[in-house]
Amino acid sequence: MFRYYCLNPIARVGLDRFREGFTETKEIGEAEGILVRSASMHELELSDKLLAVARAGAGVNNIPLDQCAEKGIVVFNTPGANANGVKELVIAGMLLASRDVVGGIEWVKSQTDNPNISKDAEKEKKKFAGTEIENKKLGIIGLGAIGVRVANAAKHLGMEVYGYDPYVSVDAAWNLSRDVRHVLNVDEIYAECDIITIHVPLMDATKGMINREALDKMKDGVILLNFARDLLADEEAVLAAVKSGKVRKYVTDFANPTTAGQEGCIVIPHLGASTEESEDNCAKMAVKELMEYLENGNIRNSVNYPNCDMGVCDKAGRIAIFHKNITNMIAKFTTALGNNGINISDLTNKSKKDVAYTMIDVETPVTEEIIRTLEAIEGVFRVRVVK
């Protein structure tokens, strides 16, 4: 029996997919698996029983990834599950920034007691006149699941689309419209595009990448959208660019004191993936990942361990070993098993940066003595018997 704990409310359509053998617990310290959305886990004491964390969403800044890796806790996310919801809000953000719809609505609200509102509206509407997005140049920084969808949708809206992503995946490339101009230098997007939207993960290399230097390279009157992470932009610099007229509108999905209520800023309270469909998709995907790992040891869409799949074990046992990515580890594992009279029927090893994951199917039941022998090998974080 596997127990899971929900740190946030998780869509019931996802939880209902748990098979027999899984049960929800109200005690986090008893859980082998945790499902989480936005709740911070950095302050939590991680139980020795915890085997996996499944984030129902893409960003994992709320999870202590390194600590989890060193404890042999696999952290999953759900890339692409909420991509359509975010894509639609990005398109809405472009339209709101290009046409002063928000300003027009606010004017109407201020005229609720005006009997001549219809006539006055005809006079006032020129204050809210904007531009169309058709034939405008859209620059997309980051061609992951969301960036590709935005690119394809923008092409259908008649925009000229530039895409920048030096690490674009094969899957993303296959799904990307052939009409998208793939540029090799982000400066080309800054120099050429009327609207720029950013869709990259928050890392040391991307933190604050939309800074004063980047803004200076952009066209005057550029529209800037950030539906990825607030820290990707130096918002003090962005706000200064808005006030100077360099940036026509800044649209962000991350409310904070720097931009909230500021002229020229459209600030949305993190609604990108807040749709019923996105939450359902993320929940279903997170549950599937968690079950597959807990039952079979297979890893898919982990952010701190490599993907690894050996299917369903049909042998006497399966051993999962989490360890440092250093030389001679496989030899040590096979020697330890051989010395204990254990025959290996199948083995796979995958690595990701400083960590690695090894799965071994064996033809003899795994004993506690064997587990202790493997755990004693220098560089091993955790040993788990899957079956």
Side-chain angles (χ1 to χ4, degrees):
M1 177 69 71
F2 293 110
R3 293 156 294 186
Y4 65 89
Y5 181 88
C6 297
L7 265 177
N8 294 105
I10 303 296
R12 176 50 56 183
V13 69
L15 299 182
D16 287 344
R17 295 200 168 200
F18 273 116
R19 293 186 284 269
E20 185 178 351
F22 290 85
T23 184
E24 185 172 5
T25 177
K26 299 301 180 184
E27 298 294 330
I28 190 171
E30 295 298 315
E32 287 89 9
I34 287 178
L35 289 159
V36 62
R37 290 174 61 199
S38 58
S40 176
M41 295 185 63
H42 288 283
E43 298 77 25
L44 293 180
E45 183 176 346
L46 302 178
S47 166
D48 289 339
K49 293 182 179 180
L50 184 62
L51 300 173
V53 176
R55 161 77 164 98
V60 289
N61 303 86
N62 56 322
I63 303 170
L65 300 181
D66 291 340
Q67 182 184 354
C68 287
E70 291 170 2
K71 290 175 70 71
I73 299 170
V74 183
V75 179
F76 299 94
N77 69 346
T78 57
N82 58 15
N84 189 68
V86 179
K87 174 209 76 177
E88 290 185 358
L89 199 60
V90 172
I91 299 299
M94 281 197 289
L95 293 168
L96 290 173
S98 298
R99 310 279 295 272
D100 191 6
V101 178
V102 175
I105 290 172
E106 291 301 317
W107 179 84
V108 172
K109 284 183 179 179
S110 72
Q111 303 295 310
T112 53
D113 296 325
N114 180 3
N116 296 315
I117 185 172
S118 296
K119 287 186 177 180
D120 290 348
E122 293 302 315
K123 300 174 184 177
E124 294 292 324
K125 68 180 184 181
K126 60 186 177 183
K127 295 180 180 178
F128 313 112
T131 56
E132 298 176 14
I133 63 174
E134 185 178 17
N135 296 322
K136 297 299 187 295
K137 293 180 179 178
L138 171 66
I140 301 174
I141 302 173
L143 294 171
I146 295 170
V148 166
R149 284 176 178 255
V150 172
N152 293 342
K155 284 302 303 179
H156 287 301
L157 290 170
M159 304 185 78
E160 186 177 344
V161 181
Y162 292 62
Y164 170 77
D165 191 334
Y167 310 109
V168 63
S169 69
V170 174
D171 285 345
W174 274 110
N175 291 320
L176 189 64
S177 168
R178 68 177 66 183
D179 295 322
V180 173
R181 180 172 176 178
H182 192 194
V183 302
L184 302 179
N185 191 325
V186 70
D187 286 351
E188 186 174 350
I189 282 181
Y190 295 154
E192 297 292 333
C193 294
D194 307 296
I195 303 172
I196 297 173
T197 181
I198 185 167
H199 299 284
V200 298
L202 179 61
M203 304 180 295
D204 290 341
T206 59
K207 186 176 181 180
M209 66 179 296
I210 304 299
N211 52 25
R212 181 176 176 180
E213 181 182 0
L215 290 162
D216 286 344
K217 295 176 181 177
M218 296 180 191
K219 297 172 69 172
D220 291 341
V222 67
I223 290 172
L224 186 60
L225 301 101
N226 180 7
F227 285 81
R229 283 290 179 269
D230 54 349
L231 295 179
L232 294 171
D234 176 352
E235 292 197 328
E236 293 288 355
V238 172
L239 190 58
V242 170
K243 291 179 178 179
S244 72
K246 178 71 175 183
V247 173
R248 176 176 158 191
K249 290 283 185 182
Y250 176 55
V251 188
T252 175
D253 200 25
F254 307 99
N256 61 60
T258 303
T259 54
Q262 293 289 335
E263 187 78 20
C265 296
I266 300 174
V267 183
I268 302 169
H270 204 188
L271 299 182
S274 294
T275 67
E276 182 179 334
E277 294 87 351
S278 287
E279 292 179 8
D280 286 354
N281 290 339
C282 287
K284 289 187 284 188
M285 191 171 179
V287 167
K288 182 178 180 181
E289 293 165 347
L290 197 59
M291 285 195 297
E292 181 60 26
Y293 171 67
L294 293 178
E295 288 183 329
N296 299 308
N298 297 322
I299 297 176
R300 182 167 177 79
N301 295 325
S302 172
V303 293
N304 66 340
Y305 272 96
N307 288 341
C308 191
D309 191 340
M310 282 180 62
V312 176
C313 179
D314 59 0
K315 304 303 179 183
R318 173 172 290 177
I319 306 169
I321 309 173
F322 299 85
H323 55 95
K324 291 181 179 179
N325 183 21
I326 53 180
T327 60
N328 208 35
M329 294 300 284
I330 303 302
K332 292 179 181 179
F333 299 154
T334 56
T335 298
L337 293 173
N339 290 341
N340 282 272
I342 302 296
N343 188 45
I344 297 172
S345 62
D346 198 3
L347 181 151
T348 187
N349 168 266
K350 301 291 183 181
S351 63
K352 188 170 188 174
K353 295 182 180 179
D354 296 331
V355 300
Y357 182 59
T358 299
M359 280 199 292
I360 306 172
D361 284 357
V362 295
E363 296 181 356
T364 307
V366 182
T367 65
E368 285 295 325
E369 181 181 358
I370 294 170
I371 295 173
R372 287 194 295 269
T373 299
L374 292 169
E375 287 175 336
I377 296 173
E378 186 176 356
V380 170
F381 300 133
R382 185 176 207 157
V383 178
R384 177 186 170 220
V385 177
V386 179
K387 176 184 175 182

